[in-house]
Amino acid sequence: MVSKRRSLRIAVVGVLGAASLALAGTAMAATPAAHTASPAAVAQQTPAAKAGITATPSVSSVRAWQQFRVTGKTTGLKAGSTVTLQQKQHGKWVSLRASVPVSHSGSYSLLVELGLKGKNELRMVNGKTASPVFNVTVR
């Protein structure tokens, strides 16, 4: 019950953050600029940040279905975009039903439960951007 409320609160904060960014962008667009540069010049001055995700589990070993937390930071992803947990199963990456929106600061925190016993290879993804692989052993 508490985790559902926390997830809802995080989702609402992400949506509100995205909305405030959109409003700030339209307010800035309505303000006349003293110096206008061509889009090509702006693109050369501000290189696009390469997207990246880090992921750190709170534990390295858990019992089956015991909760643990995965935390991390993102770069180059918009606030409110979703990062999803993936697990390697039979040589393929499978997305689990565990995802969380990125906060305005670029960080995220996700509660996870795993039932597949043994060494689990996990990573966090957003589109084609993935974190380095980390392991959690379920005993």
Side-chain angles (χ1 to χ4, degrees):
M1 181 82 150
V2 173
S3 65
K4 285 184 181 180
R5 276 192 228 146
R6 180 173 288 151
S7 296
L8 179 61
R9 188 177 327 136
I10 290 171
V12 168
V13 168
V15 169
L16 290 175
S20 67
L21 285 174
L23 288 174
T26 56
M28 291 189 72
T31 307
H35 174 71
T36 57
S38 69
V42 172
Q44 287 178 344
Q45 291 174 358
T46 56
K50 185 176 180 184
I53 303 173
T54 64
T56 306
S58 60
V59 295
S60 60
S61 179
V62 293
R63 286 178 277 119
W65 304 113
Q66 179 184 352
Q67 284 188 343
F68 65 95
R69 188 170 296 279
V70 177
T71 57
K73 288 202 152 256
T74 63
T75 55
L77 297 180
K78 292 183 180 180
S81 60
T82 304
V83 289
T84 303
L85 181 67
Q86 285 189 337
Q87 180 181 44
K88 199 163 204 179
Q89 296 178 1
H90 307 291
K92 293 185 179 182
W93 288 106
V94 176
S95 293
L96 303 179
R97 284 188 278 160
S99 61
V100 66
V102 174
S103 72
H104 68 282
S105 65
S107 63
Y108 66 90
S109 181
L110 176 68
L111 277 175
V112 180
E113 294 177 348
L114 296 174
L116 189 62
K117 291 190 177 187
K119 181 179 172 183
N120 287 274
E121 292 182 87
L122 305 166
R123 69 181 185 178
M124 298 299 293
V125 297
N126 174 280
K128 292 187 178 190
T129 305
S131 72
V133 176
F134 60 95
N135 296 309
V136 174
T137 303
V138 177
R139 41 180 160 55

